[in-house]
Amino acid sequence: MHWQTNLPLIAILRGITPSEVASHINELLESGFDSIEIPLNSPDWESSIPTAVKIYGDRALIGAGTVLKPEQVEQLADMGSKLIVTPNTQPAVIHRALDFGMTVCAGCTTATEAFNALEAGAQSLKIFPSSALGPDYIKALKAVLPTDVPVFAVGGITPENLGSWLTAGCVGAGLGSDLYRAGQPVSRTKEKAVAFVKAYQEASQ
């Protein structure tokens, strides 16, 4: 298994509104990002996700986060979403996403949850809340997981600590409030995106 984008950093745009989607995603893509997640607890995501797919779907892996139900997966498939990020390891959600050929990044904390997600067919895992667990926890968890499973750290990842998560065995990270906070100016998104890409490149050398 491998993560299917060039940069294994997922931009989590929680709280973004439809009118902001084009400008913020443009800056992210210009900075090197090519994985975009719009969580379903964002306002009017039913408009934001189709807008993002229509404008940038050929340049990035675009999809949804906080996906809890198979019905939501079906709705997202109709919108052209290619990425499903879950906060849990609900097999029915994973199975439905796979039916549509989507990339699934399943949220988990324990080894039991991780293996349940993999058994259901998830191609990648997000370990949440990473900052509360620490890199050593992920290093220990990675020791029992199949070596080819992409693992993402999510929760409290900053440009300053990104390298420690990669060293622990993560292929990349999901970036939330340290990259994007609802209502922030586009210039701030650009500044943060550049810092994260630089940190990833330096840590990967």
Side-chain angles (χ1 to χ4, degrees), residues 18-203:
S19 64
E20 298 171 305
V21 162
S23 57
H24 285 270
I25 294 180
N26 181 66
E27 292 299 344
L28 288 163
L29 268 55
E30 289 296 317
S31 302
F33 278 76
D34 54 1
S35 302
I36 308 292
E37 169 195 337
I38 297 176
L40 297 192
N41 53 5
S42 300
D44 200 11
W45 62 267
E46 297 95 332
S47 297
S48 292
I49 291 175
T51 298
V53 169
K54 182 178 180 182
I55 301 173
Y56 300 113
D58 59 340
R59 294 175 55 194
L61 185 68
I62 294 175
T66 321
V67 181
L68 298 169
K69 301 173 183 176
E71 304 81 62
Q72 293 173 330
V73 175
E74 292 163 14
Q75 195 176 353
L76 289 161
D78 288 340
M79 296 174 178
S81 174
K82 301 293 186 192
L83 173 66
I84 296 290
V85 183
T86 69
N88 56 11
T89 56
Q90 178 56 253
V93 171
I94 296 171
H95 292 157
R96 203 72 191 101
L98 295 177
D99 288 342
F100 289 110
M102 294 171 163
T103 296
V104 179
C105 188
C108 58
T109 301
T110 66
T112 298
E113 292 169 345
F115 279 104
N116 286 345
L118 295 175
E119 189 173 333
Q123 303 102 324
S124 56
L125 302 171
K126 77 168 193 183
I127 310 301
F128 180 87
S130 286
S131 58
L133 300 165
D136 286 346
Y137 179 88
I138 289 185
K139 189 175 181 180
L141 186 62
K142 281 282 294 179
V144 298
L145 292 175
T147 55
D148 63 341
V149 174
V151 171
F152 291 80
V154 180
I157 313 304
T158 67
E160 291 75 27
N161 68 29
L162 177 61
S164 64
W165 300 104
L166 300 180
T167 301
C170 292
V171 67
L175 310 173
S177 58
D178 285 290
L179 173 66
Y180 175 83
R181 291 178 187 269
Q184 77 181 20
V186 176
S187 59
R188 182 71 169 158
T189 301
K190 174 76 170 180
E191 177 188 327
K192 290 284 195 176
V194 168
F196 269 112
V197 171
K198 183 183 179 192
Y200 176 80
Q201 291 170 340
E202 289 176 351

